[in-house]
Amino acid sequence: MNIGMLWFDNSSNTLAQKIQKAADYFNKKYGRRPDTCLIHPSLFGSEHGRPGADERVASITMDGIVIRPYRSVLPGHLWIGLEELPVEVQS
């Protein structure tokens, strides 16, 4: 991830709500909509009724944001941002 922000959310909201709140803040702060969100593997299956990690699934997409499990992200945190910087066209 080239531009990212670590977001902590220990609320009882769903994972989708947490990601949406972080994405809205990221967009307001950086002026771009994030396209990638890394989460702790223990949270990965929870949104789909599967307790714990489902590491057989590499990623899911919600509202244009690719969500992937990543062991280095602590539980309760999201690492959200842009996978690659857009190439700016020079004239």
Side-chain angles (χ1 to χ4, degrees), residues 1-5 26 30 32 79-83 85-86:
M1 189 177 314
N2 287 312
I3 297 175
M5 172 184 80
F26 184 93
Y30 297 106
R32 293 194 171 138
W79 190 7
I80 191 162
L82 299 171
E83 183 67 29
L85 290 175

Side-chain angles (χ1 to χ4, degrees), residues 13-87:
N13 292 336
T14 66
L15 180 60
Q17 291 170 328
K18 293 176 182 186
I19 291 172
Q20 184 62 48
K21 187 173 180 180
D24 291 343
Y25 182 84
F26 184 93
N27 187 30
K28 186 176 182 179
K29 181 173 177 115
Y30 297 106
R32 293 194 171 138
R33 186 94 178 128
D35 61 11
T36 304
C37 182
L38 305 176
I39 62 173
H40 189 268
S42 67
L43 299 174
F44 197 67
S46 64
E47 195 68 9
H48 302 285
R50 296 184 302 265
D54 187 354
E55 296 192 29
R56 294 171 290 159
V57 179
S59 67
I60 56 174
T61 302
M62 277 192 241
D63 296 325
I65 300 173
V66 176
I67 302 161
R68 295 192 317 250
Y70 192 64
R71 290 186 192 275
S72 296
V73 177
L74 295 173
H77 291 76
L78 309 171
W79 190 7
I80 191 162
L82 299 171
E83 183 67 29
E84 295 184 23
L85 290 175
V87 177

